[in-house]
Amino acid sequence: MADIKPFKAFRPVADKVSKIAALPYDVYNRQEAREVVEKNPDSFLAIDRPETFFEPDHDMYAPEVYDKAKEQLWGRIEKGDFVQDEANSYYIYELTMDGRSQTGIVAVASIDDYLNGVIKKHENTREEKEKDRINHVYTCKAQTGPIFLCYRDNATINEIVDRVKTVDEPVYDFASEDGVRHRVWLMGDEEENNMICRVFTSINDIYIADGHHRCASAVKVGLKMRQEKGDQYKKNLEADYFLSVLFPESELMIMDYNRVVKDLNGLTPEEFLSVLSKKFDVKKEEAAVKPSKKGEFGLFLDGCWFRLNAHDDITSDDPVEGLDVSVLQNQVLFPVLGIEDPKTDKRIDFVGGIRGLKELERRCKTDMCLAFSMYPTSINELFEVADAGKLMPPKSTWFEPKLLSGLFLHDIRGIVVQ
Protein backbone atom coordinates (compact mmCIF):
# COMPACT_ATOMS: atom_id res chain seq x y z
CA MET A 1 0.00 0.00 0.00
CA ALA A 2 1.14 3.55 -0.69
CA ASP A 3 1.95 5.92 2.18
CA ILE A 4 1.03 9.32 0.69
CA LYS A 5 0.63 12.01 3.33
CA PRO A 6 -0.58 15.61 3.56
CA PHE A 7 1.95 18.12 4.86
CA LYS A 8 2.45 21.75 5.89
CA ALA A 9 3.91 23.36 2.81
CA PHE A 10 5.86 26.57 2.65
CA ARG A 11 4.37 28.45 -0.31
CA PRO A 12 5.09 31.80 -1.98
CA VAL A 13 2.92 34.72 -0.92
CA ALA A 14 0.19 35.16 -3.51
CA ASP A 15 1.33 38.53 -4.86
CA LYS A 16 4.81 37.18 -5.66
CA VAL A 17 4.06 33.63 -6.77
CA SER A 18 4.41 34.34 -10.50
CA LYS A 19 7.84 35.85 -9.95
CA ILE A 20 9.08 33.18 -7.55
CA ALA A 21 7.91 29.87 -9.08
CA ALA A 22 10.39 28.67 -11.70
CA LEU A 23 10.93 25.87 -14.18
CA PRO A 24 13.01 22.94 -12.86
CA TYR A 25 16.70 23.55 -12.27
CA ASP A 26 17.81 20.99 -14.85
CA VAL A 27 16.13 22.57 -17.90
CA TYR A 28 18.77 25.32 -17.91
CA ASN A 29 22.49 25.33 -18.57
CA ARG A 30 24.70 27.47 -16.35
CA GLN A 31 24.62 30.57 -18.54
CA GLU A 32 20.85 30.35 -19.06
CA ALA A 33 20.29 30.06 -15.30
CA ARG A 34 22.44 33.14 -14.68
CA GLU A 35 20.50 35.15 -17.25
CA VAL A 36 17.15 34.17 -15.71
CA VAL A 37 18.26 35.19 -12.21
CA GLU A 38 19.78 38.47 -13.42
CA LYS A 39 16.50 39.30 -15.14
CA ASN A 40 14.34 38.21 -12.19
CA PRO A 41 16.15 38.08 -8.82
CA ASP A 42 12.97 36.76 -7.17
CA SER A 43 13.08 33.60 -9.30
CA PHE A 44 13.40 30.41 -7.28
CA LEU A 45 16.12 29.43 -9.71
CA ALA A 46 18.44 31.58 -7.59
CA ILE A 47 17.97 29.00 -4.82
CA ASP A 48 17.86 25.91 -7.02
CA ARG A 49 20.96 27.07 -8.93
CA PRO A 50 22.95 29.01 -6.30
CA GLU A 51 26.08 29.11 -8.47
CA THR A 52 24.41 32.12 -10.09
CA PHE A 53 25.68 34.16 -7.10
CA PHE A 54 29.31 33.29 -7.95
CA GLU A 55 31.68 34.02 -10.79
CA PRO A 56 31.11 31.93 -13.93
CA ASP A 57 34.30 29.92 -13.35
CA HIS A 58 33.54 29.15 -9.68
CA ASP A 59 33.11 25.46 -8.87
CA MET A 60 29.32 25.13 -8.93
CA TYR A 61 29.47 22.08 -6.67
CA ALA A 62 31.63 23.65 -3.93
CA PRO A 63 30.28 23.60 -0.34
CA GLU A 64 29.91 27.37 -0.23
CA VAL A 65 27.54 27.22 -3.19
CA TYR A 66 25.11 24.97 -1.32
CA ASP A 67 25.53 27.13 1.79
CA LYS A 68 24.43 30.07 -0.35
CA ALA A 69 21.29 28.19 -1.35
CA LYS A 70 20.46 27.56 2.33
CA GLU A 71 21.11 31.20 3.20
CA GLN A 72 18.86 32.41 0.40
CA LEU A 73 16.06 29.94 1.09
CA TRP A 74 15.66 30.52 4.80
CA GLY A 75 16.47 34.21 4.45
CA ARG A 76 13.62 34.68 2.01
CA ILE A 77 11.28 32.67 4.23
CA GLU A 78 12.20 34.93 7.15
CA LYS A 79 11.74 37.98 4.91
CA GLY A 80 8.16 36.91 4.22
CA ASP A 81 8.37 35.74 0.60
CA PHE A 82 6.94 32.39 1.74
CA VAL A 83 4.32 31.38 4.30
CA GLN A 84 3.71 27.99 5.89
CA ASP A 85 0.23 26.53 6.17
CA GLU A 86 -0.90 25.84 9.72
CA ALA A 87 -2.36 22.38 9.16
CA ASN A 88 -1.32 19.32 7.18
CA SER A 89 -3.09 19.42 3.83
CA TYR A 90 -3.08 17.99 0.38
CA TYR A 91 -3.01 20.51 -2.46
CA ILE A 92 -4.51 20.28 -5.90
CA TYR A 93 -2.26 21.47 -8.73
CA GLU A 94 -3.64 22.06 -12.22
CA LEU A 95 -1.49 22.91 -15.24
CA THR A 96 -3.02 24.06 -18.53
CA MET A 97 -0.97 24.19 -21.74
CA ASP A 98 -2.39 24.83 -25.21
CA GLY A 99 -5.94 24.36 -23.92
CA ARG A 100 -5.26 20.99 -22.28
CA SER A 101 -5.30 20.64 -18.48
CA GLN A 102 -3.86 18.03 -16.16
CA THR A 103 -4.52 17.94 -12.43
CA GLY A 104 -2.58 16.24 -9.67
CA ILE A 105 -2.38 16.06 -5.89
CA VAL A 106 0.59 17.61 -4.08
CA ALA A 107 1.67 15.46 -1.13
CA VAL A 108 4.69 13.78 0.41
CA ALA A 109 5.52 10.16 -0.42
CA SER A 110 7.40 7.63 1.68
CA ILE A 111 11.04 6.83 0.99
CA ASP A 112 10.31 3.31 2.24
CA ASP A 113 7.77 2.88 -0.56
CA TYR A 114 10.58 3.71 -3.01
CA LEU A 115 12.88 1.21 -1.32
CA ASN A 116 10.31 -1.61 -1.18
CA GLY A 117 9.05 -1.14 -4.74
CA VAL A 118 5.61 0.36 -4.15
CA ILE A 119 6.97 3.44 -5.92
CA LYS A 120 8.40 2.07 -9.14
CA LYS A 121 11.07 3.49 -11.41
CA HIS A 122 11.70 2.95 -15.11
CA GLU A 123 15.10 4.67 -15.45
CA ASN A 124 18.53 4.22 -13.95
CA THR A 125 20.13 7.15 -12.17
CA ARG A 126 23.72 8.38 -12.32
CA GLU A 127 25.60 8.97 -9.09
CA GLU A 128 27.19 12.22 -10.25
CA LYS A 129 23.78 13.73 -11.01
CA GLU A 130 22.35 12.55 -7.70
CA LYS A 131 25.21 14.07 -5.71
CA ASP A 132 24.32 17.65 -6.60
CA ARG A 133 20.71 17.33 -5.40
CA ILE A 134 21.76 15.33 -2.34
CA ASN A 135 24.02 18.19 -1.30
CA HIS A 136 21.36 20.78 -2.10
CA VAL A 137 18.55 19.07 -0.16
CA TYR A 138 20.75 18.04 2.78
CA THR A 139 22.31 21.50 3.16
CA CYS A 140 19.02 23.38 2.78
CA LYS A 141 17.08 20.82 4.85
CA ALA A 142 14.22 21.31 2.40
CA GLN A 143 12.89 19.71 -0.76
CA THR A 144 12.18 22.39 -3.35
CA GLY A 145 11.27 20.55 -6.55
CA PRO A 146 8.48 17.95 -6.61
CA ILE A 147 8.82 14.44 -7.99
CA PHE A 148 6.35 13.71 -10.81
CA LEU A 149 4.46 10.53 -9.83
CA CYS A 150 1.48 8.80 -11.44
CA TYR A 151 -1.01 6.11 -10.57
CA ARG A 152 -3.91 4.29 -12.18
CA ASP A 153 -7.18 6.20 -12.13
CA ASN A 154 -9.22 6.09 -8.94
CA ALA A 155 -12.86 7.23 -9.00
CA THR A 156 -12.95 8.40 -5.36
CA ILE A 157 -9.89 10.63 -5.72
CA ASN A 158 -11.18 11.99 -9.03
CA GLU A 159 -14.52 12.91 -7.43
CA ILE A 160 -12.89 14.75 -4.53
CA VAL A 161 -10.56 16.65 -6.84
CA ASP A 162 -13.42 17.64 -9.14
CA ARG A 163 -15.48 18.87 -6.20
CA VAL A 164 -12.70 21.05 -4.82
CA LYS A 165 -11.97 22.55 -8.24
CA THR A 166 -15.65 23.26 -8.82
CA VAL A 167 -16.58 24.73 -5.44
CA ASP A 168 -13.46 26.22 -3.87
CA GLU A 169 -11.43 29.25 -4.93
CA PRO A 170 -7.82 28.60 -5.93
CA VAL A 171 -5.07 30.09 -3.79
CA TYR A 172 -3.01 30.65 -6.96
CA ASP A 173 -4.01 31.35 -10.54
CA PHE A 174 -1.22 32.64 -12.76
CA ALA A 175 0.63 32.06 -16.01
CA SER A 176 4.33 31.23 -16.05
CA GLU A 177 6.69 32.79 -18.57
CA ASP A 178 6.26 29.84 -20.95
CA GLY A 179 2.51 30.53 -21.16
CA VAL A 180 1.35 27.62 -18.99
CA ARG A 181 -1.48 28.43 -16.58
CA HIS A 182 -1.01 27.19 -13.02
CA ARG A 183 -3.82 26.91 -10.50
CA VAL A 184 -3.55 25.59 -6.94
CA TRP A 185 -6.20 24.74 -4.36
CA LEU A 186 -5.58 24.04 -0.68
CA MET A 187 -7.67 21.12 0.55
CA GLY A 188 -9.00 22.44 3.84
CA ASP A 189 -11.62 19.78 4.50
CA GLU A 190 -10.20 17.33 7.05
CA GLU A 191 -12.62 14.56 6.08
CA GLU A 192 -11.60 14.79 2.41
CA ASN A 193 -7.92 14.79 3.36
CA ASN A 194 -8.46 11.67 5.44
CA MET A 195 -10.37 10.00 2.60
CA ILE A 196 -7.56 10.62 0.12
CA CYS A 197 -5.03 9.26 2.60
CA ARG A 198 -7.13 6.09 3.06
CA VAL A 199 -7.60 5.61 -0.68
CA PHE A 200 -3.87 5.80 -1.34
CA THR A 201 -3.31 3.05 1.23
CA SER A 202 -5.33 0.79 -1.08
CA ILE A 203 -3.13 1.58 -4.08
CA ASN A 204 -0.21 -0.81 -4.46
CA ASP A 205 1.57 0.73 -7.45
CA ILE A 206 2.85 4.29 -7.81
CA TYR A 207 5.11 5.15 -10.73
CA ILE A 208 7.83 7.76 -11.20
CA ALA A 209 6.97 9.61 -14.38
CA ASP A 210 9.74 12.21 -14.20
CA GLY A 211 12.37 13.18 -11.65
CA HIS A 212 14.24 9.91 -11.05
CA HIS A 213 17.40 11.70 -9.91
CA ARG A 214 15.53 14.06 -7.58
CA CYS A 215 13.70 11.08 -6.13
CA ALA A 216 16.80 8.97 -5.58
CA SER A 217 18.53 11.97 -4.00
CA ALA A 218 15.64 12.64 -1.62
CA VAL A 219 15.67 8.99 -0.56
CA LYS A 220 19.40 9.04 0.16
CA VAL A 221 19.09 12.25 2.19
CA GLY A 222 16.24 10.68 4.16
CA LEU A 223 18.31 7.59 4.93
CA LYS A 224 21.26 9.76 5.95
CA MET A 225 19.13 11.83 8.33
CA ARG A 226 17.45 8.69 9.70
CA GLN A 227 20.87 7.27 10.51
CA GLU A 228 21.94 10.51 12.19
CA LYS A 229 18.82 10.60 14.39
CA GLY A 230 18.83 6.91 15.27
CA ASP A 231 16.53 3.96 14.65
CA GLN A 232 14.00 5.16 17.24
CA TYR A 233 12.94 7.85 14.79
CA LYS A 234 12.45 5.49 11.85
CA LYS A 235 9.43 6.62 9.80
CA ASN A 236 8.96 9.60 12.13
CA LEU A 237 11.12 12.13 10.32
CA GLU A 238 9.89 14.65 7.78
CA ALA A 239 12.91 13.50 5.74
CA ASP A 240 11.31 10.05 5.53
CA TYR A 241 8.98 11.60 2.94
CA PHE A 242 9.66 13.43 -0.30
CA LEU A 243 7.75 16.19 -2.08
CA SER A 244 5.58 14.85 -4.91
CA VAL A 245 2.77 15.64 -7.30
CA LEU A 246 0.68 12.57 -8.14
CA PHE A 247 -1.37 12.41 -11.33
CA PRO A 248 -3.89 9.78 -12.42
CA GLU A 249 -2.93 8.11 -15.69
CA SER A 250 -5.80 9.67 -17.69
CA GLU A 251 -4.51 13.18 -16.94
CA LEU A 252 -1.06 12.68 -18.42
CA MET A 253 0.34 13.32 -21.85
CA ILE A 254 3.71 11.97 -22.92
CA MET A 255 5.24 13.76 -25.88
CA ASP A 256 7.61 12.39 -28.49
CA TYR A 257 11.33 12.40 -27.70
CA ASN A 258 13.07 12.69 -31.05
CA ARG A 259 16.60 11.85 -32.20
CA VAL A 260 19.12 13.75 -34.33
CA VAL A 261 22.35 12.17 -35.58
CA LYS A 262 25.53 13.83 -36.78
CA ASP A 263 26.46 11.57 -39.73
CA LEU A 264 25.55 8.46 -41.73
CA ASN A 265 28.50 6.41 -40.48
CA GLY A 266 30.15 6.42 -43.90
CA LEU A 267 27.03 5.62 -45.94
CA THR A 268 25.54 7.75 -48.69
CA PRO A 269 21.87 8.78 -48.30
CA GLU A 270 20.93 6.28 -51.01
CA GLU A 271 22.82 3.45 -49.29
CA PHE A 272 21.25 4.32 -45.95
CA LEU A 273 17.72 4.29 -47.37
CA SER A 274 18.44 0.98 -49.05
CA VAL A 275 19.51 -0.57 -45.75
CA LEU A 276 16.39 0.80 -44.04
CA SER A 277 14.13 -0.70 -46.70
CA LYS A 278 15.09 -4.18 -45.51
CA LYS A 279 13.50 -3.51 -42.12
CA PHE A 280 10.95 -0.77 -42.82
CA ASP A 281 8.48 0.26 -45.48
CA VAL A 282 10.04 3.53 -46.65
CA LYS A 283 7.90 6.20 -48.31
CA LYS A 284 8.97 9.70 -49.30
CA GLU A 285 6.56 12.43 -48.12
CA GLU A 286 5.99 16.02 -49.19
CA ALA A 287 5.39 17.32 -45.65
CA ALA A 288 7.01 16.77 -42.26
CA VAL A 289 6.20 13.37 -40.76
CA LYS A 290 4.69 13.19 -37.29
CA PRO A 291 4.15 9.48 -36.62
CA SER A 292 0.52 8.57 -35.97
CA LYS A 293 0.91 5.08 -34.55
CA LYS A 294 3.29 2.74 -32.78
CA GLY A 295 5.91 1.29 -35.12
CA GLU A 296 5.92 4.35 -37.36
CA PHE A 297 8.85 6.77 -37.60
CA GLY A 298 9.64 9.96 -39.46
CA LEU A 299 13.04 10.44 -41.11
CA PHE A 300 14.44 13.78 -42.24
CA LEU A 301 17.45 13.29 -44.50
CA ASP A 302 19.08 15.34 -47.23
CA GLY A 303 16.30 17.94 -47.05
CA CYS A 304 13.48 15.40 -47.48
CA TRP A 305 10.99 13.66 -45.17
CA PHE A 306 10.32 9.93 -45.24
CA ARG A 307 7.76 7.79 -43.42
CA LEU A 308 9.09 4.50 -42.02
CA ASN A 309 6.86 1.65 -40.90
CA ALA A 310 8.56 -1.22 -39.10
CA HIS A 311 8.21 -4.72 -40.50
CA ASP A 312 6.54 -7.17 -38.14
CA ASP A 313 9.67 -9.27 -37.77
CA ILE A 314 11.61 -6.49 -36.01
CA THR A 315 8.92 -5.75 -33.40
CA SER A 316 8.59 -7.47 -30.03
CA ASP A 317 6.06 -8.14 -27.27
CA ASP A 318 8.71 -7.57 -24.61
CA PRO A 319 7.91 -4.43 -22.52
CA VAL A 320 11.32 -2.89 -23.27
CA GLU A 321 12.34 -4.40 -26.60
CA GLY A 322 8.91 -3.56 -28.02
CA LEU A 323 9.26 0.18 -27.36
CA ASP A 324 9.72 2.27 -30.50
CA VAL A 325 12.84 3.83 -28.98
CA SER A 326 14.26 0.29 -28.58
CA VAL A 327 13.33 -0.72 -32.13
CA LEU A 328 15.11 2.34 -33.51
CA GLN A 329 18.16 1.77 -31.32
CA ASN A 330 18.43 -1.97 -31.96
CA GLN A 331 17.63 -1.94 -35.69
CA VAL A 332 19.12 1.37 -36.89
CA LEU A 333 21.13 3.48 -34.50
CA PHE A 334 23.49 0.72 -33.35
CA PRO A 335 23.82 -1.75 -36.26
CA VAL A 336 23.65 0.80 -39.08
CA LEU A 337 24.85 4.10 -37.62
CA GLY A 338 27.27 2.66 -35.06
CA ILE A 339 25.76 4.35 -32.00
CA GLU A 340 26.24 1.69 -29.36
CA ASP A 341 25.56 3.75 -26.23
CA PRO A 342 23.23 6.71 -26.83
CA LYS A 343 23.91 7.97 -23.29
CA THR A 344 27.55 8.73 -24.08
CA ASP A 345 27.90 8.90 -27.87
CA LYS A 346 28.45 12.51 -28.98
CA ARG A 347 27.08 11.76 -32.45
CA ILE A 348 23.49 11.65 -31.21
CA ASP A 349 21.32 14.24 -29.50
CA PHE A 350 17.73 14.24 -28.28
CA VAL A 351 15.04 16.82 -28.97
CA GLY A 352 11.89 17.04 -26.86
CA GLY A 353 8.63 17.05 -28.79
CA ILE A 354 7.71 20.43 -27.33
CA ARG A 355 10.19 21.95 -29.80
CA GLY A 356 8.33 20.62 -32.84
CA LEU A 357 9.46 19.08 -36.11
CA LYS A 358 10.87 22.38 -37.38
CA GLU A 359 13.58 22.05 -34.74
CA LEU A 360 14.60 18.72 -36.26
CA GLU A 361 14.89 20.34 -39.68
CA ARG A 362 16.88 23.23 -38.21
CA ARG A 363 19.34 20.89 -36.50
CA CYS A 364 19.86 18.96 -39.74
CA LYS A 365 20.69 22.22 -41.50
CA THR A 366 23.18 23.28 -38.83
CA ASP A 367 25.04 20.68 -36.75
CA MET A 368 23.39 17.36 -37.61
CA CYS A 369 22.81 15.19 -40.68
CA LEU A 370 19.58 13.30 -40.10
CA ALA A 371 16.64 13.21 -37.67
CA PHE A 372 14.06 10.69 -36.53
CA SER A 373 10.64 11.80 -35.33
CA MET A 374 9.08 9.35 -32.88
CA TYR A 375 5.63 8.20 -31.84
CA PRO A 376 5.32 8.95 -28.09
CA THR A 377 5.82 6.22 -25.53
CA SER A 378 2.44 5.60 -23.87
CA ILE A 379 1.72 5.74 -20.15
CA ASN A 380 0.68 2.06 -20.32
CA GLU A 381 4.07 1.17 -21.80
CA LEU A 382 5.71 3.00 -18.91
CA PHE A 383 3.58 1.03 -16.44
CA GLU A 384 4.40 -2.28 -18.15
CA VAL A 385 8.15 -1.65 -18.04
CA ALA A 386 8.06 -0.61 -14.38
CA ASP A 387 5.78 -3.52 -13.40
CA ALA A 388 8.22 -5.94 -15.05
CA GLY A 389 11.05 -4.45 -12.99
CA LYS A 390 12.81 -3.36 -16.14
CA LEU A 391 14.28 -0.07 -17.33
CA MET A 392 13.56 2.02 -20.41
CA PRO A 393 16.30 3.15 -22.78
CA PRO A 394 17.55 6.72 -22.25
CA LYS A 395 15.29 9.56 -23.36
CA SER A 396 12.17 7.47 -23.81
CA THR A 397 9.64 9.94 -22.41
CA TRP A 398 9.12 13.69 -22.50
CA PHE A 399 6.49 15.11 -20.16
CA GLU A 400 4.92 18.51 -20.63
CA PRO A 401 4.08 20.83 -19.02
CA LYS A 402 6.84 20.93 -16.40
CA LEU A 403 6.09 21.13 -12.69
CA LEU A 404 7.34 24.38 -11.22
CA SER A 405 9.91 24.53 -8.43
CA GLY A 406 9.47 26.82 -5.44
CA LEU A 407 5.69 26.55 -5.59
CA PHE A 408 5.69 24.08 -2.67
CA LEU A 409 8.54 23.54 -0.22
CA HIS A 410 8.83 20.59 2.15
CA ASP A 411 10.73 21.38 5.36
CA ILE A 412 12.58 18.20 6.38
CA ARG A 413 14.02 19.47 9.68
CA GLY A 414 11.17 18.10 11.82
CA ILE A 415 11.14 14.93 13.86
CA VAL A 416 7.56 13.67 13.65
CA VAL A 417 5.22 13.71 10.69
CA GLN A 418 1.80 14.54 12.14
Side-chain angles (χ1 to χ4, degrees):
M1 64 182 188
D3 185 7
I4 307 295
K5 290 185 178 294
F7 70 113
K8 300 175 184 177
F10 277 98
R11 302 184 286 108
V13 292
D15 61 351
K16 296 189 74 172
V17 64
S18 62
K19 290 186 175 181
I20 291 175
L23 289 171
Y25 75 97
D26 52 358
V27 306
Y28 301 98
N29 63 34
R30 187 167 186 171
Q31 180 58 34
E32 290 169 340
R34 177 177 293 274
E35 291 171 358
V36 169
V37 173
E38 287 176 350
K39 181 180 178 181
N40 175 22
D42 286 328
S43 172
F44 199 81
L45 198 61
I47 296 167
D48 260 352
R49 296 290 294 271
E51 75 274 12
T52 54
F53 288 96
F54 297 82
E55 293 300 317
D57 59 349
H58 195 95
D59 179 4
M60 63 187 291
Y61 305 119
E64 61 270 19
V65 175
Y66 300 104
D67 288 338
K68 189 67 174 179
K70 177 182 178 181
E71 171 194 312
Q72 285 292 311
L73 173 63
W74 295 104
R76 288 179 63 176
I77 288 174
E78 184 176 351
K79 175 185 170 184
D81 285 353
F82 297 84
V83 294
Q84 186 177 31
D85 292 308
E86 295 181 357
N88 287 325
S89 301
Y90 294 107
Y91 305 83
I92 294 173
Y93 183 13
E94 176 196 76
L95 303 93
T96 302
M97 182 181 75
D98 298 333
R100 181 190 179 279
S101 296
Q102 62 184 52
T103 305
I105 293 177
V106 184
V108 291
S110 167
I111 67 172
D112 290 295
D113 282 352
Y114 177 88
L115 296 169
N116 64 27
V118 172
I119 296 175
K120 300 180 178 182
K121 64 181 182 177
H122 65 267
E123 288 182 7
N124 267 331
T125 56
R126 300 206 309 269
E127 185 177 356
E128 64 270 21
K129 287 190 69 175
E130 287 180 22
K131 187 175 179 181
D132 169 51
R133 286 302 101 177
I134 289 172
N135 290 337
H136 192 279
V137 172
Y138 183 75
T139 302
C140 291
K141 295 298 188 289
Q143 297 156 355
T144 61
I147 314 305
F148 191 152
L149 302 179
C150 58
Y151 59 95
R152 291 184 172 86
D153 279 73
N154 181 278
T156 301
I157 294 178
N158 290 346
E159 289 170 6
I160 293 173
V161 169
D162 289 342
R163 189 212 67 78
V164 173
K165 289 175 61 179
T166 301
V167 176
D168 296 351
E169 289 293 319
V171 294
Y172 300 136
D173 186 347
F174 68 98
S176 51
E177 62 181 26
D178 58 357
V180 176
R181 184 185 185 187
H182 301 265
R183 294 202 294 171
V184 172
W185 291 261
L186 186 154
M187 292 188 57
D189 187 293
E190 184 176 356
E191 184 177 339
E192 288 181 335
N193 276 282
N194 290 337
M195 176 61 74
I196 286 180
C197 189
R198 287 196 298 270
V199 171
F200 272 119
T201 62
S202 70
I203 295 176
N204 295 320
D205 302 300
I206 304 288
Y207 302 85
I208 302 174
D210 200 10
H212 283 77
H213 285 91
R214 290 193 299 274
C215 188
S217 301
V219 170
K220 289 183 178 179
V221 170
L223 293 175
K224 178 181 175 75
M225 293 181 66
R226 181 184 286 177
Q227 184 178 35
E228 290 172 348
K229 293 292 185 181
D231 288 341
Q232 67 269 33
Y233 292 111
K234 187 177 182 181
K235 296 188 180 181
N236 286 320
L237 296 174
E238 289 286 355
D240 288 331
Y241 294 83
F242 57 86
L243 179 63
S244 307
V245 185
L246 298 100
F247 292 88
E249 59 181 307
S250 61
E251 293 282 307
L252 296 182
M253 177 181 69
I254 304 179
M255 298 187 74
D256 42 308
Y257 213 156
N258 303 310
R259 276 80 170 129
V260 288
V261 181
K262 190 172 287 293
D263 60 66
L264 287 172
N265 198 30
L267 299 174
T268 66
E270 293 76 17
E271 290 170 335
F272 181 64
L273 290 171
S274 177
V275 172
L276 288 185
S277 67
K278 298 175 183 177
K279 300 180 179 182
F280 301 85
D281 293 330
V282 180
K283 180 183 177 184
K284 188 175 181 180
E285 300 284 1
E286 295 299 320
V289 176
K290 187 175 180 63
S292 59
K293 60 183 180 180
K294 183 174 170 61
E296 186 172 86
F297 305 81
L299 167 67
F300 186 71
L301 173 65
D302 213 17
C304 299
W305 277 99
F306 300 85
R307 188 180 305 275
L308 313 178
N309 279 286
H311 294 168
D312 291 342
D313 61 354
I314 67 169
T315 61
S316 171
D317 293 331
D318 181 84
V320 175
E321 297 304 311
L323 296 171
D324 278 4
V325 291
S326 296
V327 171
L328 185 69
Q329 175 62 34
N330 296 337
Q331 301 296 329
V332 181
L333 296 179
F334 176 36
V336 182
L337 296 177
I339 297 172
E340 181 174 1
D341 186 353
K343 289 185 293 186
T344 58
D345 199 310
K346 302 300 183 184
R347 296 170 54 232
I348 189 170
D349 197 7
F350 305 88
V351 180
I354 190 68
R355 295 182 179 272
L357 300 182
K358 288 292 184 185
E359 177 65 9
L360 300 184
E361 296 180 5
R362 186 193 71 80
R363 291 294 299 272
C364 289
K365 294 173 183 176
T366 53
D367 62 328
M368 292 291 178
C369 173
L370 70 158
F372 295 96
S373 58
M374 309 292 295
Y375 186 68
T377 301
S378 73
I379 192 67
N380 282 331
E381 287 178 317
L382 186 155
F383 287 169
E384 288 173 0
V385 171
D387 285 341
K390 297 186 176 185
L391 302 173
M392 286 187 174
K395 312 296 185 182
S396 294
T397 57
W398 180 279
F399 286 91
E400 285 287 347
K402 301 297 184 187
L403 307 178
L404 296 184
S405 293
L407 198 53
F408 309 93
L409 310 179
H410 179 215
D411 180 358
I412 61 171
R413 298 173 299 175
I415 298 296
V416 179
V417 177
Q418 299 296 329

